[in-house]
Amino acid sequence: MTDLAPEAKERDAADELAALRARFVLDDTVYLDGNSLGALPAAVPDRVADVVRRQWGEQRIRSWEVGGWWTAPERIGDLLAPLVGAAPGQIVVGDSTSVNVFKAVVGAVRLAGDDRDEILVDASTFPTDGYIAESAARLTGRTLRAVTPSEVPAALSGRTAAVLLNHVDYRTGRLHDLPALTAAVHGAGAYAVWDLCHSAGALPVGLDEHGVDLAVGCTYKYLNGGPGSPAFLYVRHGLQDRFDSPLPGWTSHAEPFGMRPDYEAVSGARRGRVGTPDILSMLALEAALEVWDGVPVEAVRAKSLALTDFFLRCVAAYVPEGRVECVTPLDHAERGSQIGLRCAGAGEAMRRLIERGVVGDFRPPDVLRFGFTPLYVGFAEAERAARTLGEVLAEGGG
């Protein structure tokens, strides 16, 4: 058996991003579940304490103005924008991913017009996206057709209003071709809606560069915003004046404190707002995004690919032959920042891995998922995870 621990130490010593670990609260656990919930950034606890004790406790209602609470959705959206390749003024933070998917899909259908009566949805999508798309189709009187991303170009037609796609498959980690698929959707005169939950903060997205119409994403995975942190909605500049949100709320009104019975939409991405911002989790996210200061997402992507390549080498070296099958594409152009391994008895194997200090997760029926967050995961941890997996499976843990 090849011992890859020395190579892992050498790689860590040469890692330009290694110092970023100090920006997080970490322990001896190998944490490879940042694709579900990111680690705690060290700056967050004190910031949240300040929001609770001083801003809420002392300033109280005045904090909507002097604490910047009212403008937080757009301010934090502008902080997040460079991580997904967007210029300022196009992202609003708030609500859940599911709520924002609903806004985006219905908004896209309304942009497309009444003569387009079909919505396409990624057949391999996270279940909630499918539920939301089905509901959006019923509410707008459209039909819904589920197709795989590779089938989208052939499925497009003059009937297509909107296409909802995942940038990275949540089970396998497959990265889909956002530029090519967006161009195909536009070529058919339809609108592209992208779910970035498993790519935002893990790899370059290029929303502006590739002309994406609308996009949504969560902030508690690779962006480390914390459990239940608010999601985001991107509306391309050129569409904002025509974006008709299906959830008009008082905070997206042109005169939010006018309390008028008739609705008049505010200008810009703020049209994506609905109700009162969730301030505690939103300002925790703002503090969490500080870990990205001076960190180019391109460098994170380079380390991500190096980490996942190295992990697969370690798996090949340590895991008994034939015990696992990689379901994540080996081609860098088709890989996100996680590795999925098909394994008999995967649920039990993951339970035993967690007992030994290697935290990933399990997706039924038989997939072990290992998420690599380059901001705080190193090569020695990748080596330890693969070695421990080999031990567990050799002992009959899978």
Side-chain angles (χ1 to χ4, degrees):
M1 179 184 295
T2 303
D3 182 5
L4 294 174
E7 180 181 344
K9 292 179 181 178
E10 291 176 3
R11 284 174 172 255
D12 279 339
D15 177 16
E16 295 181 358
L17 300 183
L20 296 176
R21 284 179 57 86
R23 301 183 185 182
F24 292 87
V25 177
L26 299 168
D27 54 24
D28 292 334
T29 300
V30 177
Y31 189 65
L32 301 181
D33 210 6
N35 54 325
S36 287
L37 176 64
L40 172 64
V44 169
D46 287 345
R47 187 69 55 81
V48 171
D50 177 71
V51 173
V52 171
R53 293 173 182 164
R54 183 179 63 85
Q55 296 182 38
W56 179 15
E58 298 174 13
Q59 294 177 171
R60 292 181 287 276
I61 196 71
R62 292 175 297 152
S63 286
W64 284 106
E65 181 178 354
V66 300
W69 289 3
W70 183 255
T71 58
E74 297 79 47
R75 182 179 70 247
I76 300 171
D78 285 348
L79 285 176
L80 193 156
L83 301 179
V84 291
Q90 299 178 99
I91 292 179
V92 64
V93 173
D95 304 313
S96 68
T97 304
S98 300
V99 171
N100 283 315
V101 168
F102 178 75
K103 296 177 203 173
V105 173
V106 175
V109 169
R110 290 176 173 178
L111 286 166
D114 294 338
D115 59 335
R116 290 178 175 263
D117 62 0
E118 185 175 70
I119 300 170
L120 301 182
V121 64
D122 185 344
S124 61
T125 190
F126 187 76
T128 295
D129 283 17
Y131 308 155
I132 296 292
E134 194 276 333
S135 179
R138 284 190 286 113
L139 287 168
T140 59
R142 268 65 174 180
T143 59
L144 182 70
R145 182 154 53 121
V147 295
T148 65
S150 64
E151 294 170 333
V152 165
L156 292 164
S157 72
R159 296 181 54 200
T160 309
V163 183
L164 173 60
L165 292 164
N166 279 255
H167 197 191
V168 174
D169 186 286
Y170 78 100
R171 286 163 301 196
T172 67
R174 175 179 289 276
L175 172 64
H176 297 299
D177 192 340
L178 181 147
L181 288 170
T182 300
V185 171
H186 288 168
Y191 290 85
V193 180
W194 284 92
D195 183 328
L196 309 179
C197 284
H198 287 270
S199 59
L203 52 92
V205 177
L207 292 178
D208 287 354
E209 177 185 358
H210 303 302
V212 169
D213 301 307
L214 300 115
V216 302
C218 66
T219 62
Y220 49 78
K221 293 182 171 65
Y222 295 105
L223 296 174
N224 311 295
S229 59
F232 64 90
L233 170 67
Y234 165 91
V235 183
R236 180 161 55 84
H237 269 308
L239 300 178
Q240 290 175 1
D241 289 344
R242 295 190 293 126
F243 176 66
D244 182 8
S245 173
L247 295 173
W250 76 280
T251 70
S252 62
H253 197 289
E255 297 180 26
F257 295 98
M259 303 303 165
R260 289 162 37 191
D262 60 308
Y263 181 75
E264 179 186 352
V266 72
S267 62
R270 291 179 297 169
R271 290 186 175 203
R273 292 177 65 151
V274 182
T276 305
D278 38 358
I279 291 300
L280 295 181
S281 58
M282 191 167 294
L283 297 188
L285 169 63
E286 185 172 33
L289 290 174
E290 291 178 3
V291 303
W292 287 92
D293 289 350
V295 182
V297 71
E298 292 78 10
V300 171
R301 175 60 169 167
K303 182 178 175 182
S304 166
L305 292 172
L307 273 170
T308 48
D309 280 344
F310 181 65
F311 177 70
L312 288 172
R313 280 188 57 209
C314 292
V315 168
Y318 295 143
V319 174
E321 186 174 356
R323 297 303 301 275
V324 298
E325 173 193 358
C326 183
V327 298
T328 304
L330 300 182
D331 186 341
H332 286 183
E334 297 180 353
R335 186 193 310 169
S337 197
Q338 70 184 55
I339 295 294
L341 300 176
R342 181 168 287 125
C343 168
E348 174 63 14
M350 183 53 68
R351 184 187 68 79
R352 295 182 62 182
L353 279 168
I354 292 171
E355 287 179 348
R356 300 188 187 196
V358 175
V359 179
D361 66 15
F362 157 66
R363 286 293 178 267
D366 57 2
V367 175
L368 300 169
R369 292 197 319 171
F370 300 95
F372 290 84
T373 305
L375 297 179
Y376 54 78
V377 173
F379 293 91
E381 291 168 299
E383 188 274 340
R384 177 181 158 194
R387 179 161 35 86
T388 305
L389 175 61
E391 293 167 357
V392 164
L393 295 183
E395 295 166 5

